[in-house]
Amino acid sequence: RGRVQFAGNTVADQIDVNAIGISASGGASVQSNVVRGNGVGIDATGGFVLGNRVYANRVTGIRADGADVLENVVYSQPVGIEIEGDGVTLRNNLVYDSDTVGVNVVGGNGIVVVNNTLFEIAADTLRIAADAANVQVRNSIFWAENGTAILVSPGGETGFESNNNVFFRGLLGAGRIGAWGGASQTTLTDWRNATGTDTDS
């Protein structure tokens, strides 16, 4: 906790389902680590999480509250990244092979989701919860083979902005571009008409 940099380590195989591989708070930074086989891989409050490889954790790969999440590779856990806070950024991450959701925005105001690649066979790629407002999504790739690319819960629609993204929903899968107002939007046209966003996507 505090002005600490935790970098270049391997943290693996904490046995308890609730065990955390790296817990950082008070502005500490977590950078260039390999974190696998824990309950939660990285749990950060404040500071930033940068350039880590986080995989095969039993609950969540990265859980961030008020922390920027940047340039990480996150895969093979139920939830890839869970983020909340005001004015934080989720940028240049690669997230794939999640069981439930790649990125879960659970709350906060003005979170920016930019330049990420999210690829999921069965899970949703991005979910925005009712407690999140003014989320901005841009310049990202969303591949939802059978899930939903961007699922915005009623309540999370306030101030939502999205544009300049690339969507792919699979040739053989049952993927959907989005969910808005409690209804699925299968195609990009459906999504645009429902949300008034992604005109340049």
Side-chain angles (χ1 to χ4, degrees), residues 54-55 62 110 112 114 123-124 129 143 164 171 178 189 193 198:
V54 183
Y55 66 97
I62 297 172
V112 177
V114 60
D124 297 333
W143 185 328
N164 300 110
L171 296 174
T189 299
N193 290 339
D198 282 298

Side-chain angles (χ1 to χ4, degrees), residues 122-177:
D124 297 333
T125 60
L126 172 64
R127 290 182 187 172
I128 298 169
D131 291 334
N134 301 305
V135 176
Q136 301 176 43
V137 180
R138 62 180 185 270
N139 288 45
S140 294
I141 298 171
F142 298 96
W143 185 328
E145 190 72 20
N146 291 289
T148 301
I150 302 178
L151 189 156
V152 184
S153 299
E157 300 163 354
T158 303
F160 174 80
E161 297 179 12
S162 182
N163 205 8
N164 300 110
N165 302 295
V166 175
F167 295 94
F168 189 77
R169 61 186 185 93
L171 296 174
L172 301 176
R176 298 162 296 281
I177 298 299

Side-chain angles (χ1 to χ4, degrees), residues 69-75 80-81 90-98 101-103 113-120 124-126 137-144 149 164-168:
V69 180
L70 315 167
E71 302 174 19
N72 301 280
V73 178
V74 182
Y75 57 97
I81 299 172
L90 184 82
R91 187 186 73 230
N92 291 99
N93 299 281
L94 171 61
V95 183
Y96 63 96
D97 195 28
S98 307
V101 59
V103 173
V113 179
V114 60
N115 294 349
N116 300 284
T117 298
L118 311 180
F119 169 75
E120 301 296 351
D124 297 333
T125 60
L126 172 64
V137 180
R138 62 180 185 270
N139 288 45
S140 294
I141 298 171
F142 298 96
W143 185 328
N164 300 110
N165 302 295
V166 175
F167 295 94
F168 189 77

Side-chain angles (χ1 to χ4, degrees), residues 34-124:
V34 176
V35 186
R36 59 173 171 77
N38 309 288
V40 174
I42 298 171
D43 188 5
T45 303
F48 61 86
V49 180
L50 170 66
N52 302 278
R53 181 175 295 274
V54 183
Y55 66 97
N57 296 285
R58 291 183 293 279
V59 179
T60 304
I62 297 172
R63 188 167 60 196
D65 184 353
D68 292 329
V69 180
L70 315 167
E71 302 174 19
N72 301 280
V73 178
V74 182
Y75 57 97
S76 299
Q77 47 241 326
V79 177
I81 299 172
E82 184 175 278
I83 189 167
E84 61 183 308
D86 295 342
V88 295
T89 298
L90 184 82
R91 187 186 73 230
N92 291 99
N93 299 281
L94 171 61
V95 183
Y96 63 96
D97 195 28
S98 307
D99 296 335
T100 305
V101 59
V103 173
N104 195 18
V105 178
V106 297
N109 184 47
I111 292 175
V112 177
V113 179
V114 60
N115 294 349
N116 300 284
T117 298
L118 311 180
F119 169 75
E120 301 296 351
I121 295 296
D124 297 333

